[in-house]
Amino acid sequence: KHYFQTYGVLLGNYDFEEKIPTELLEEFERIEEEGMVFIPGGFFEYGLNENEVPYKTFNWNDSVPKMKVWLPPFFIDKYPVTNKEYDEFTDFIEENGHIFCHPNEPEGKEHRRNTYWDPRYKPDHPVTGIDFYDAFAFARWKGKELPTEFQWEKAARGPEGLIWPWGNSFDPTKVRYSGSLYGTNIDSLDEWRKTILKAHQDTSLDSYTISLKNPTNISFYGVVDMVGNTWEWTRSDFKTRRMFHPVWESTQTKANAFAVLKGGSFYSHPGLMFPSYRAKDIPFCRHNEMGIRCVKNIPVYLIQRALKKPITNKAIY
């Protein structure tokens, strides 16, 4: 009752284990997906208890309480999508039309990333400057999907539910964040604001993002760079945690106007970067901090057919 009064929605049924037949699971596990990491199915810890939140600086209460969530297995990209990979997609779109795009995307939508003409965003760096519609269309073009926030968080935190991909304490040497821009520690909000304002106006900075050739930020499962460098779009609705269906009409904010973003970026304060933190933005926002990685799932219709009954676990779809 308290949760409903606070957030206006009921808690979903996320902790229900679906008895997917072993042969379907084994068939999926035998698939080899180039450039992707297999994440086994099962329970994991989603969110944090209040005493575990490492920084109570921003809207940290959206990250609590800790919940037990069950997911089937899935594959997730080992690395974020790069500028080079994304540019191949926009070349295709410009030649062949919007055949992979979201049906609700704005008329005349331009998919070219807004960092395309800026040499500081290099080909082998994680893509930035894309909105939800861009991310959705890219994932479909690759034959993949955007991750749910549940999938993203499990891949980042591992089976032990670590606060950070590498452990339970923030390590500034492992991430590309606001403190990395000038080699300083971000100890206060005032220092953070001054740093990002300086970086925004600093034309001498060679790049904001960094290449992942020598990664230091690796999760238990072997997924790289899930914290820092760029925010990553998910397909989860911020309010309901269900599938995001963007709706935006004039100046009215609808219940499903915000998708969840995860991981923080090169501009972020550490209080925005721990994997349980739930950021949000409108679907056509194209900041130079927003990127993407994709997943592959057991198709929902196959799970439904194998179960021979409705899927109860709402974290799946």
Side-chain angles (χ1 to χ4, degrees):
K1 181 179 178 181
H2 173 72
Y3 190 91
F4 179 79
Q5 290 174 339
T6 303
Y7 298 104
V9 293
L10 294 172
L11 278 169
N13 187 359
Y14 307 134
D15 63 351
F16 184 86
E17 180 179 358
E18 301 287 1
K19 301 297 184 181
I20 302 175
T22 302
E23 55 268 25
L24 179 57
L25 294 174
E26 291 178 346
E27 181 181 357
F28 183 71
E29 291 173 12
R30 285 195 295 268
I31 299 172
E32 293 186 11
E33 295 290 351
E34 183 179 358
M36 303 191 83
V37 174
F38 178 76
I39 308 296
F43 289 100
F44 79 103
E45 291 182 349
Y46 164 80
L48 298 170
N49 291 326
E50 183 174 341
N51 66 325
E52 297 175 308
V53 176
Y55 295 92
K56 294 180 179 177
T57 312
F58 300 94
N59 294 327
W60 57 270
N61 55 307
D62 288 321
S63 306
V64 302
K66 181 183 290 185
M67 289 186 276
K68 187 178 182 181
V69 174
W70 185 91
L71 291 175
F74 61 96
F75 289 90
I76 190 167
D77 288 343
K78 182 175 182 178
Y79 299 97
V81 174
T82 64
N83 288 310
K84 181 177 183 294
E85 291 173 309
Y86 185 82
D87 291 344
E88 292 173 357
F89 155 72
T90 47
D91 290 343
F92 175 91
I93 290 292
E94 291 175 1
E95 181 177 348
N96 299 283
H98 294 244
I99 57 178
F100 293 103
C101 298
H102 195 285
N104 288 353
E105 76 173 25
E107 186 176 352
K109 165 71 176 153
E110 167 63 61
H111 285 286
R112 186 68 65 179
R113 60 186 168 91
N114 68 6
T115 57
Y116 181 74
W117 294 272
D118 190 332
R120 290 174 296 184
Y121 299 90
K122 304 181 189 308
D124 63 335
H125 288 204
V127 66
T128 53
I130 65 172
D131 63 21
F132 174 84
Y133 298 110
D134 298 322
F136 178 93
F138 175 88
R140 287 197 68 205
W141 176 72
K142 290 290 286 188
K144 301 178 182 181
E145 299 177 75
L146 294 179
T148 65
E149 63 171 301
F150 300 109
Q151 291 176 318
W152 193 99
E153 190 166 331
K154 179 174 183 177
R157 299 179 62 196
E160 301 300 320
L162 299 174
I163 295 175
W164 303 91
W166 54 82
N168 289 323
S169 299
F170 180 65
D171 185 344
T173 68
K174 292 186 178 296
V175 295
R176 180 68 168 179
Y177 80 118
S178 55
S180 310
L181 297 173
Y182 298 102
T184 58
N185 291 323
I186 303 300
D187 297 321
S188 68
L189 286 177
D190 184 59
E191 185 175 8
W192 174 59
R193 293 188 185 102
K194 288 179 180 178
T195 298
I196 61 176
L197 181 61
K198 176 183 176 182
H200 179 69
Q201 299 173 336
D202 189 353
T203 57
S204 67
L205 275 178
D206 179 61
S207 66
Y208 293 117
T209 53
I210 59 171
S211 170
L212 303 177
K213 290 180 179 178
N214 298 298
T216 57
N217 175 355
I218 305 172
S219 77
F220 172 90
Y221 293 116
V223 188
V224 174
D225 201 50
M226 299 200 78
V227 173
N229 229 356
T230 69
W231 288 103
E232 296 183 7
W233 286 103
T234 75
R235 61 183 172 97
S236 293
D237 183 285
F238 182 80
K239 188 172 185 179
T240 66
R241 292 181 169 85
R242 304 296 300 282
M243 175 75 77
F244 179 61
H245 297 289
V247 173
W248 192 268
E249 297 178 6
S250 65
T251 58
Q252 294 183 340
T253 303
K254 299 295 185 179
N256 53 341
F258 298 98
V260 174
L261 289 129
K262 286 284 196 175
S265 79
F266 57 84
Y267 268 168
S268 289
H269 182 283
L272 295 166
M273 300 171 65
F274 58 96
S276 294
Y277 185 81
R278 303 179 72 234
K280 64 181 179 181
D281 218 322
I282 53 179
F284 48 82
C285 188
R286 310 183 84 214
H287 290 167
N288 63 340
E289 305 170 71
M290 295 173 172
I292 176 184
R293 81 175 72 220
C294 305
V295 298
K296 276 199 171 183
N297 300 304
I298 303 174
V300 170
Y301 85 92
L302 289 181
I303 296 176
Q304 178 78 63
R305 189 169 68 185
L307 293 175
K308 299 179 181 179
K309 63 178 183 178
I311 296 174
T312 302
N313 186 323
K314 294 180 180 180
I316 297 176
Y317 62 98

